[in-house]
Amino acid sequence: MASASEKNMASAAEVARLAGVSRSAVSRTFTPGGSVSPATRRKVLAAADALNYHVNHLARGLSKEECRPVCILGGHLRAPYQAHLLDQLTRRLQQAGRAVMVINTDGGETSADAALRQTLNYRAAATIVLSGLPQASLVETCLHSGQQVILINRLGEFDGADHIAIDYTSTLHETYQMLADAGCRRLAMISSTARSPSMVMRETQFLAAARHAAEPCLLVRAGPTGYETGAQAARELLAGAQRPDGVFCATDLIACGFLDVARYEFGLRIPQDLCLVGFDDIEQAGWVGYQLTTFSQPLTTMADAIVSLLSSPPAARQPATRLFKAPLVWRNTVRRRAVD
């Protein structure tokens, strides 16, 4: 018999021959709850260790949904929020014993579509679509294949999918009220040219809160979702005679750019001269140089909800929507009481 070093991977048949047992005994040894005597189990495990044998769970699980891999579909994965979300999801899915396949959609629709079809060939049980702008056609491909599809912060899209989302209505009204309570009367919202579902929802709900209070609010979209967009927006707004005294940035990364320019190019005191709120609670928001007041997406809880949705029996499965509050993280960029 060829040695393990001469082959890429040992087979169950080779383990059976080395252990002196049947092929079915090997299968039962590696099947949770399988019936096998302690002596046989010891022989099989010793042979498997000697041959560096690993069970092919993919081949075993093609007929069992809970054993099939889960696909994660998303773009801008280097951005702080997306990276943190991906980290939480993959950790939780691996703890639940699910294999994970990640598709980065930044290479364009053709490249992403080819990768997605590859996951369908591997019989991926479900696709999780991160917030952002993965193309609608890719989501439709997953749904048409019969996959379970879970959308994060893309509420209102695709009736046949499960939705995990932030309750933006209450959260963004709280954001507005916090700035109003701090005495801010000249408000601005800094968003981006990226028209992702979550970005649109943040804009819509914050502006709705301002309209409800009959207060004007300037909306600025200075570029894509990133640090430089916040910096550019600050240069445009703060150079004017009627500069805002309260600013909501649609993401923390935008807020960090705005904050640096406000402090170091215009010499503004934060929060005495200007109150600033972000969203997402990325790692940088808590750095000493920023100490940004923001709202934290409960990513661990959201990941747990996703695992729960994946665990539901297919026969009883109906599209579900689960909304979560984004808790306020109060740091140093908003006054705690109105200034006379």
Side-chain angles (χ1 to χ4, degrees), residues 1-76:
M1 182 175 65
S3 68
S5 62
E6 296 172 332
K7 291 194 162 190
N8 291 328
M9 187 175 293
S11 68
E14 290 172 317
V15 173
R17 285 196 294 270
L18 183 60
V21 300
S22 67
R23 172 65 179 76
S24 63
V26 174
S27 178
R28 293 195 303 275
T29 298
F30 290 100
T31 299
S35 176
V36 63
S37 70
T40 298
R41 183 181 298 277
R42 285 194 297 271
K43 289 193 291 185
V44 169
L45 293 178
D49 184 62
L51 294 171
N52 195 25
Y53 168 75
H54 300 279
V55 178
N56 186 346
H57 287 294
L58 179 61
R60 276 186 158 200
L62 290 179
S63 62
K64 299 178 181 178
E65 183 167 296
E66 69 274 12
C67 297
R68 287 153 54 193
V70 173
C71 171
I72 296 177
L73 184 67
H76 306 295

Side-chain angles (χ1 to χ4, degrees), residues 13-326:
E14 290 172 317
V15 173
R17 285 196 294 270
L18 183 60
V21 300
S22 67
R23 172 65 179 76
S24 63
V26 174
S27 178
R28 293 195 303 275
T29 298
F30 290 100
T31 299
S35 176
V36 63
S37 70
T40 298
R41 183 181 298 277
R42 285 194 297 271
K43 289 193 291 185
V44 169
L45 293 178
D49 184 62
L51 294 171
N52 195 25
Y53 168 75
H54 300 279
V55 178
N56 186 346
H57 287 294
L58 179 61
R60 276 186 158 200
L62 290 179
S63 62
K64 299 178 181 178
E65 183 167 296
E66 69 274 12
C67 297
R68 287 153 54 193
V70 173
C71 171
I72 296 177
L73 184 67
H76 306 295
L77 299 180
R78 293 182 300 173
Y81 167 73
Q82 297 290 79
H84 191 192
L85 174 58
L86 185 62
D87 176 68
Q88 290 293 321
L89 271 178
T90 52
R91 284 173 183 263
R92 187 63 188 88
L93 289 167
Q94 288 167 195
Q95 288 171 3
R98 305 301 293 260
V100 179
M101 308 172 75
V102 178
I103 296 177
N104 189 330
T105 62
D106 288 344
E109 186 169 1
T110 300
S111 172
D113 183 68
L116 183 60
R117 293 185 185 281
Q118 197 172 30
T119 73
L120 297 177
N121 292 337
Y122 280 105
R123 302 295 192 271
T127 292
I128 302 167
V129 183
L130 307 187
S131 54
L133 285 172
Q135 298 85 350
S137 61
L138 300 179
V139 179
E140 290 166 354
T141 296
C142 298
L143 288 169
H144 291 161
S145 74
Q147 275 189 351
Q148 181 181 11
V149 175
I150 302 174
L151 304 180
I152 300 178
N153 285 331
R154 295 175 69 108
L155 198 60
E157 296 186 302
F158 307 103
D159 291 338
D162 295 312
H163 291 273
I164 298 289
I166 295 297
D167 179 4
Y168 282 121
T169 300
S170 64
T171 302
L172 272 300
H173 281 248
E174 182 181 354
T175 306
Y176 170 81
Q177 193 59 51
M178 178 170 52
L179 290 171
D181 291 345
C184 301
R185 294 295 177 262
R186 298 184 304 278
L187 298 182
M189 177 177 180
I190 314 303
S191 187
S192 81
T193 52
R195 310 309 296 141
S196 67
S198 60
M199 197 65 57
V200 171
M201 188 65 88
R202 294 177 195 189
E203 286 183 15
T204 301
Q205 294 303 322
F206 186 78
L207 295 177
R211 284 195 302 271
H212 181 75
E215 292 286 350
C217 180
L218 180 64
L219 174 63
V220 177
R221 301 186 189 114
T225 308
Y227 177 93
E228 285 301 328
T229 289
Q232 180 59 34
R235 294 184 183 107
E236 293 176 9
L237 285 178
L238 301 181
Q242 293 296 316
R243 71 186 185 207
D245 59 1
V247 175
F248 168 55
C249 293
T251 73
D252 288 346
L253 203 55
I254 292 175
C256 289
F258 196 100
L259 187 57
D260 280 342
V261 169
R263 279 176 171 162
Y264 303 119
E265 294 186 21
F266 289 87
L268 297 183
R269 298 170 302 158
I270 310 296
Q272 294 91 335
D273 300 326
L274 173 72
C275 291
L276 187 69
V277 182
F279 203 100
D280 290 332
D281 195 29
I282 62 175
E283 179 185 356
Q284 291 84 345
W287 288 0
V288 172
Y290 293 113
Q291 285 297 294
L292 178 67
T293 297
T294 184
F295 288 83
S296 175
Q297 296 203 43
L299 299 184
T300 301
T301 306
M302 292 164 72
D304 287 341
I306 289 171
V307 171
S308 176
L309 288 171
L310 290 171
S311 302
S312 61
R317 187 176 294 153
Q318 294 292 331
T321 296
R322 300 192 182 179
L323 291 179
F324 297 87
K325 300 287 186 182

